[in-house]
Amino acid sequence: MNHPLDPPSAQPLPLKSLQVFGAALRHKSFSLAAQELHVTPGAVSQQIQKLEDWLGQSLFVRGVRQIEPTPQAQAYWASIAPALASIQQASDQLRLAQAQEVWLSMPPTLAARWFAPRMAGFLQQWPGVSLHLSATTALADFERERVDLAIRNFDGQSKDLQADLLRADEARLYCAPDYARRMALQSPADVQRCTLLHTTQHPYWADWLARFAGLKGAQAAQIQGMHFDQSMLAVETARHAQGLLLCSVILVEAELESGALQELWPQCRLPLNKGYYLVHPRQTVLRPAAAALKQWLLETAQQQRAAGLANHG
């Protein structure tokens, strides 16, 4: 047992205090840190005090309603945070090595319109696996979040990620059949009298208009439009005959099958240097459940490509 008068360096580093320190630093509040960690503010304060005693200096300037980390505290956290993240990741991998659970992240529209109709197929093939799906526009942080696999729409270039192509992307033009008849759409130049549905995922109207309709600058800017931060909302708007949609075919396959949407001028597809990729860290050895999901996703995408998206590909 250590003597009470031993110097701080002789005492073991209070590892539990480091997690509490990180939470307090992020929130700049002992109370909010306590909520995150499901402990009392007093317990947080005690852990911070223990770490400060070990380091021999204060880490926070205490205020009435807020705490402020010292410059030394911020520099200290910047140095230890990567190591703590590695410890957490390695511990999770070992703890969950044989667990029949898998965490998958993807954009909401892709989750709802492409993955959800197929999800039952995976669970039927792997009935013992528990699937956790996160539908979010935020990029998954493999170091800090519990996520095994993610689907991203990008160019597939990453030095840190293994990226396997599910489907190449291109911007295609869709609308409801009633809308095409109502607007008497005969050629790409006719789109200037339509309403254009803009999405953050496929912001390529200017390129499409210049390339296929010969409309640039002020001519293109004058065309009426609506803007959406979720492609799913733009698809619904197009389905209700409210405008022209420029997006990926993978997001509208159900509407194409039912006839709710039709593609206009297939010769006017805009090629993109992006695609839907299945990604995970290069150095990570996937757990059995995650490896099974990866194989199933790649096989499903390959079958879909071979089938030509039921003649709409």
Side-chain angles (χ1 to χ4, degrees), residues 284-308:
T284 297
V285 177
L286 294 176
R287 295 179 294 105
L293 178 58
K294 176 180 178 178
Q295 180 181 358
W296 180 85
L297 284 168
L298 294 176
E299 290 176 352
T300 298
Q302 182 179 17
Q303 292 169 3
Q304 187 178 25
R305 291 195 301 270

Side-chain angles (χ1 to χ4, degrees), residues 153-169:
N153 185 256
F154 74 128
D155 61 7
Q157 302 300 310
S158 173
K159 62 182 180 63
D160 300 320
L161 297 176
Q162 171 67 38
D164 294 285
L165 181 65
L166 295 176
R167 185 172 180 86
D169 199 10

Side-chain angles (χ1 to χ4, degrees), residues 15 20 27-29 73 75 99 136 142 162 166 209 234 250 258 266 292 307:
L15 293 176
V20 177
H27 293 293
K28 294 185 178 181
S29 165
T136 175
F142 289 96
Q162 171 67 38
L166 295 176
L209 291 170
I250 203 172
S258 68

